[in-house]
C-alpha cells in the first residue's frame, strides 16, 4: 500500500520536498497550489519594475515536476484540513493523506488596516507585481498629461512603506529608472524630479543586516534620490498619500513592503502558532502532536538552539523542504528522523546597478563585487535553465543599454490577494474563476 | 506658426505617420493612444498561446518615438472630435489640430450579439490574448481535476469561431500544443484527446487565399486534430458551447475570430462610413470634405481602382500611415498630394511547426519553406531590434525543445474591450483607472 503524501503549496519548500520524494517507490504525491506555477520570489520586484517579464521568474509546476511519475499536480484551493481523518478538503475534492506537507507561506499584513491595501499594494504575487508596475508607469503617464503642478508633484512622488530588502530594492529601482531611464521619454515632466521615500518604523533600514552595511545601503539609496525616513510609523494611508504622525507625504503611489502574516491555516487547524500566525514546528519540522504533518518555508516558525526563529528567506524554505522529504523517507525506512539545522547562506540586497550589499556570517561587502555576487547567486538559483538564459540576456541588455524591459501598462488585473496563497487567506477571499 | 498634427492611435498607421513627420520643422505632433504601447498585432495569437510574452510583441510608444523631439505622446482616450473648431476632445484635455490622423482601428463584432463576448473572447488586445491563454490553460487544469467524464470532455473541447488567418493560427497552435507539448504534463487526462473545431460560415476557410492553399491549410489543420466545419453559421454561444443551427458542440472554451467592426468614431463624426463603420476615404486618404483629416489602417475604407476595398492587414496600415505623413509634408510645401497606391505584400498564415501558406500575387507556396518565409518576414517587421533578438531566441528554443513559453495563469485581467481602442468603443466603456 503506497503512502499518500499531499503537499500544499508549490513554493520553495513544497517544490523541494516534492523533488526529494519524486520517483521514490511506494510513495504517491499530490501537490496542490492555487497558482499553476512556481514563482521565484527573490526577483519579483524586477517584474514590478518592468526589468523582467513574468515568464522569466515563474514556471508551470507541471513542467518542473513532469519527470516525476508519482507526482500529480492540481491547481486548486485548500479549504481546511481534517487532521482526525487525515483529509485535505479542497475546492474540487477531498484528498486523503498519510503525510501532509504545508508550505503555503505568508501574505502582507497591514497592522489591522486591511483597508490600506487598496492604496498600497504589497509584493507577494505576480499579479501584485504587475499592479505595482501598472501604478508606477501610470503615475508618469498622468504626470505627463496634467497641467496642475500640485497634482504633478503628487504623481511624481513614490512612498515605499518598509525598509527591508524588498522596500530597498523597490525604492532603488524607482530611483534608478527615474534618474537614468525615463528622463528622455517625456516632454512635459522631468522624471529626475521624482521624489522617493522609504518610510521605516525601526531606527534603521535593513534591520537584519549589520549597521555598517545598512548605512552604506542608505548612502547608495540617497545617491539615487531616495530619502530614507527611519523611526517613522505610518499612521494612515489613503488615495493621496501617507500620514506619519503629524507629518504627511502627498503621493499618488504608495507601495507596501512592511509586515507579513502567515496564512490562516495554522489557526484554523487549531495548532500552536506564533504572534504572526506561523505554525510552531518541532526539530524535525513536524507539528508537535502531529508527526504526519510537516510545515516548511515562511509558514513555519522554527526556533533554533539559540532561541531565534528562522527568517522568511528562500534558502530556509528550500532547505526545510528537502529536510521534510528526507524525514519522510527515513520514516518509510523506519529509521529515526533527522533534526533540521539551517545552513546559513547569508543574505543580500541590491540597491541598483553595481550597488548591492552581501552579508555572509562575519563576511560583509558591498559595491560592484557584491552586486555581481548577487547577480550570480540569483541566476544560479533560478529554477529552470531556460530562465537562467533569458534573464541573463535581458539583464545584459539592460545593463549595457541602460534600458528597461517592456514598461507596458496592461489593464488592471489585481484584486485583494488574487493568488496570494493556496490556502484560503484571512479574508477568506478566493479567485473567482 | 507650427502646424499642429494630432495622431489618434499608435498602431501601424499612426506610428508610421509619426515616423514620417518626426523631427520635421514647423510641425508639432501629439500622439494619443489609450494604451502606452505599440502592439505587433500579427503575433498576438502567439501571446494567447503562451509561445511569446507580452513584452516580446509590444513596446512603449514613448521609447519608440523618443528620438523625435517634436512628438508628444499621451496615454488617453478620445471622446469625440469637433471638426468645426478642429479640436480633439479627450478624457484629459482638448487638443486643437491643424491636421488630424485617425488610426484607431477595429474591434470584434458579434453580429449584434455582444452578450456572446463573455463566452467567446476575441483577439485584438494584449489583455484579450492573456485572457484566452488563461481560459485555455485553465480548461486543462480543470479537466485534470474533474472526475466527471462528460465535464472532462467539454473541458477538452475548443471551438474557434471564424476561419480567417487568426482562427487558423489559434486552432493550429492549440492542436500542436495539445498533441505535442502538453501530453506529458498531466496524469488524469490525455491532452491528445483534445477536440478542436473551426466553425466558419463561408463555404471554405481562409477566403482571402486561393482555394488550393486554403485546402492545403485544411489538411495541415486536420493532421493536428482540428476539424473544420464550413458553411456553419453560429446561431448561439453560451457558457457550455456553441449552437450551429440544429447542431451543438459542448465546449468549455470558445474563441472568437470572426467579424470585426470599426470603432464608432466615424459615425459619431457624421462622416460617410461603410457597412462595418469604416470611414470612407478619398484617394489621398483624407475624408471627403475634410482635407485636414486623414484616416489610415483598419479604420479606413479605401476603394481601389478595381472597386475592391483594401483588407485590414498590417502592410496596408503601414503604407497608409507613411502616405498620410508624406501628403501632409506635400501640403506644407504647397505641392499636390499623392494618390495612395497599395503595394501588395501578399498574405500568409501559419498553421504549425514547419507548416504555413504564403500567397504573393500569382506566387503561392506552402510547407516548411513557407513557414520559414513567414518567420523571417515577421521577425523583420518586429518593430524594435531588441524584440527581434528575443523573439528569435524564444522561437529557436521552442522549435528545438518543442516546449512553449511560460504557460502561466495570472488571474483574470480582461474586461469588455479593456484597451480595445483609443476612441471610446461602441459600448462606450472605458478602463477605470
Amino acid at each position: 500500500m503506497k503512502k499518500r503524501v499531499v503537499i500544499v503549496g508549490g513554493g520553495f519548500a513544497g517544490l523541494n520536498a516534492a523533488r526529494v520524494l519524486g520517483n521514490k517507490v511506494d510513495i504517491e504525491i499530490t501537490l496542490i497550489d492555487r497558482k499553476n506555477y512556481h514563482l521565484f520570489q527573490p526577483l519579483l520586484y524586477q517584474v514590478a519594475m518592468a526589468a523582467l517579464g513574468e515568464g522569466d521568474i515563474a514556471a508551470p509546476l507541471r513542467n518542473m515536476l513532469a519527470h516525476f511519475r508519482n507526482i500529480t499536480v492540481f491547481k486548486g484551493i485548500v479549504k481546511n484540513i481534517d487532521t482526525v481523518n487525515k483529509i485535505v478538503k479542497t475546492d474540487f475534492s477531498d484528498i486523503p493523506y498519510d503525510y501532509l506537507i504545508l508550505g503555503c507561506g505568508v501574505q502582507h499584513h497591514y497592522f489591522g488596516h486591511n483597508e490600506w491595501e487598496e492604496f498600497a499594494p504589497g509584493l507577494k504575487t505576480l499579479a501584485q507585481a504587475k499592479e505595482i508596475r501598472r501604478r508606477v508607469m501610470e503615475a508618469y503617464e498622468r504626470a505627463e498629461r496634467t497641467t496642475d503642478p500640485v497634482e504633478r508633484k503628487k504623481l511624481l512622488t513614490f512612498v515605499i512603506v518598509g525598509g527591508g530588502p524588498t522596500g530597498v530594492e523597490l525604492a532603488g529601482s524607482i530611483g534608478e529608472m527615474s534618474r537614468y531611464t525615463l528622463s528622455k521619454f517625456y516632454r512635459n515632466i522631468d522624471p529626475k524630479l521624482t521624489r522617493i521615500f522609504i518610510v521605516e518604523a525601526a531606527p534603521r533600514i535593513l534591520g537584519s543586516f549589520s549597521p555598517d552595511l545598512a548605512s552604506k545601503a542608505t548612502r547608495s539609496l540617497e545617491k539615487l534620490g531616495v530619502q530614507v525616513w527611519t523611526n517613522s510609523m505610518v499612521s494612515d494611508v489613503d488615495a493621496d498619500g501617507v500620514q506619519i504622525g503629524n507629518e504627511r507625504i502627498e503621493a499618488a503611489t504608495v507601495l507596501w513592503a512592511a509586515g507579513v502574516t502567515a496564512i490562516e491555516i495554522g489557526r484554523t487547524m487549531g495548532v500552536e502558532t506564533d504572534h504572526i500566525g506561523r505554525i510552531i514546528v518541532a526539530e524535525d519540522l513536524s507539528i508537535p502532536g502531529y508527526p504526519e504533518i510537516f510545515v516548511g518555508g515562511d509558514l513555519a516558525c522554527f526556533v533554533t538552539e539559540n532561541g531565534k526563529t528562522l527568517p522568511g528567506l528562500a534558502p530556509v524554505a528550500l532547505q526545510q523542504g528537502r529536510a521534510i522529504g528526507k524525514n519522510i523517507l527515513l520514516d518509510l525506512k523506519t529509521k529515526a528522523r533527522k533534526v533540521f539545522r539551517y545552513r546559513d547562506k547569508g543574505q543580500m540586497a541590491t540597491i541598483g546597478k553595481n550597488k548591492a550589499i552581501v552579508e555572509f556570517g562575519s563576511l560583509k561587502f558591498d559595491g560592484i563585487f557584491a552586486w555581481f555576487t548577487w547577480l550570480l547567486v540569483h541566476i544560479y538559483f533560478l529554477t529552470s535553465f531556460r530562465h537562467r538564459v533569458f534573464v541573463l540576456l535581458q539583464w545584459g541588455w539592460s545593463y549595457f543599454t541602460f534600458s528597461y524591459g517592456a514598461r507596458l501598462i496592461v489593464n488592471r488585473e489585481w484584486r485583494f490577494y488574487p493568488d496570494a496563497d493556496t490556502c484560503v487567506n484571512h479574508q477568506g477571499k478566493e479567485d473567482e474563476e
Side-chain angles (χ1 to χ4, degrees), chain A residues 34 77-80 107 263-265 421-430:
Chain A
R34 156 173 253 158
I77 296 161
V78 171
K79 300 286 190 186
N80 59 52
Q107 59 198 16
I263 301 308
E264 275 299 270
I265 192 77
D421 54 83
T422 301
C423 309
V424 175
N425 60 49
H426 60 57
Q427 283 101 331
K429 289 206 189 64
E430 297 163 23

Side-chain angles (χ1 to χ4, degrees), chain A residues 103-409:
Chain A
C104 33
V106 293
Q107 59 198 16
H108 279 290
H109 177 52
Y110 287 82
F111 311 133
H113 292 279
N114 286 331
E115 70 275 13
W116 291 355
E117 184 178 28
E118 180 188 351
F119 311 115
L123 184 61
K124 284 278 165 212
T125 71
L126 268 184
Q128 286 170 326
K130 302 192 82 187
E131 170 65 10
I132 288 176
R133 177 195 296 196
R134 194 190 67 78
R135 290 190 185 201
V136 171
M137 297 319 304
E138 189 70 28
Y140 284 101
E141 292 299 330
R142 289 168 171 276
E144 174 82 347
R145 242 156 55 169
T146 187
T147 49
D148 172 355
V150 178
E151 175 72 7
R152 177 168 291 168
K153 185 173 154 213
K154 192 171 91 180
L155 285 162
L156 291 180
T157 303
F158 298 84
V159 175
I160 289 96
V161 182
T166 303
V168 166
E169 284 165 339
L170 281 174
S173 312
I174 297 175
E176 199 162 65
M177 186 164 72
S178 57
R179 267 56 184 176
Y180 298 102
T181 313
L182 296 183
S183 42
K184 58 183 175 300
F185 296 141
Y186 296 85
R187 299 283 175 265
N188 305 335
I189 59 172
D190 178 3
K192 290 198 185 63
L193 300 179
T194 302
R195 300 188 304 166
I196 307 150
F197 300 86
I198 290 180
V199 178
E200 168 61 51
R204 66 178 177 92
I205 60 168
L206 296 169
S208 61
F209 288 80
S210 66
D212 54 327
L213 277 185
S215 64
K216 282 186 173 129
T218 305
R219 285 295 302 123
S220 305
L221 284 166
E222 286 168 350
K223 286 178 187 155
L224 290 169
V226 179
Q227 195 176 64
V228 177
W229 289 21
T230 51
N231 294 309
S232 303
M233 175 76 83
V234 170
S235 49
D236 192 25
V237 184
D238 56 47
D240 302 309
V242 295
Q243 192 73 33
I244 303 126
N246 303 329
E247 296 185 292
R248 174 162 181 89
I249 304 171
E250 286 279 301
T253 312
V254 181
L255 306 179
W256 193 265
V260 294
T261 179
I263 301 308
E264 275 299 270
I265 192 77
R267 292 187 180 130
T268 53
M269 286 168 67
V271 298
E272 197 187 351
T273 58
D274 70 357
H275 65 291
I276 61 165
R278 295 184 301 172
I279 298 173
I280 290 164
V281 293
E283 286 187 325
D284 64 354
L285 296 167
S286 70
I287 301 177
Y290 300 92
E292 73 283 5
I293 306 180
F294 293 86
V295 187
D298 292 358
L299 181 62
C301 174
F302 185 91
V303 184
T304 59
E305 44 274 19
N306 55 38
K308 288 218 185 84
T309 63
L310 292 176
L313 296 172
V316 175
L318 190 148
Q319 291 178 33
Q320 288 181 334
R322 286 191 189 138
I324 291 168
K326 287 176 185 158
N327 275 338
I328 290 176
L329 292 179
L330 288 169
D331 271 18
L332 301 190
K333 299 191 196 113
T334 63
K335 290 184 184 159
R337 294 179 179 181
K338 281 223 179 75
V339 170
F340 175 71
R341 283 221 160 55
Y342 175 55
R343 274 171 264 83
D344 188 355
K345 293 274 183 256
Q347 52 180 342
M348 47 184 73
T350 173
I351 295 96
K353 194 174 186 173
N354 301 344
K355 298 188 199 70
I357 54 173
V358 174
E359 187 162 355
F360 180 64
S362 59
L363 176 67
K364 304 182 182 67
F365 55 102
D366 65 323
I368 186 159
F369 180 57
W371 185 76
F372 270 106
T373 310
W374 175 90
L375 195 123
L376 293 175
V377 167
H378 282 79
I379 283 293
Y380 177 78
F381 280 107
L382 260 188
T383 20
S384 95
F385 173 64
R386 179 194 169 107
H387 289 150
R388 286 181 207 162
V389 177
F390 282 90
V391 170
L392 253 186
L393 284 166
Q394 305 219 32
W395 280 351
W397 190 279
S398 310
Y399 184 84
F400 294 111
T401 64
F402 230 124
S403 79
Y404 269 70
R407 281 180 297 280
L408 311 177
I409 304 176

Side-chain angles (χ1 to χ4, degrees), chain A residues 19 22-23 62-71:
Chain A
R19 283 171 166 165
N23 288 346
R62 300 198 170 287
N63 306 28
M64 300 177 78
L65 299 170
H67 54 292
F68 297 121
R69 304 306 304 173
N70 63 335
I71 300 182

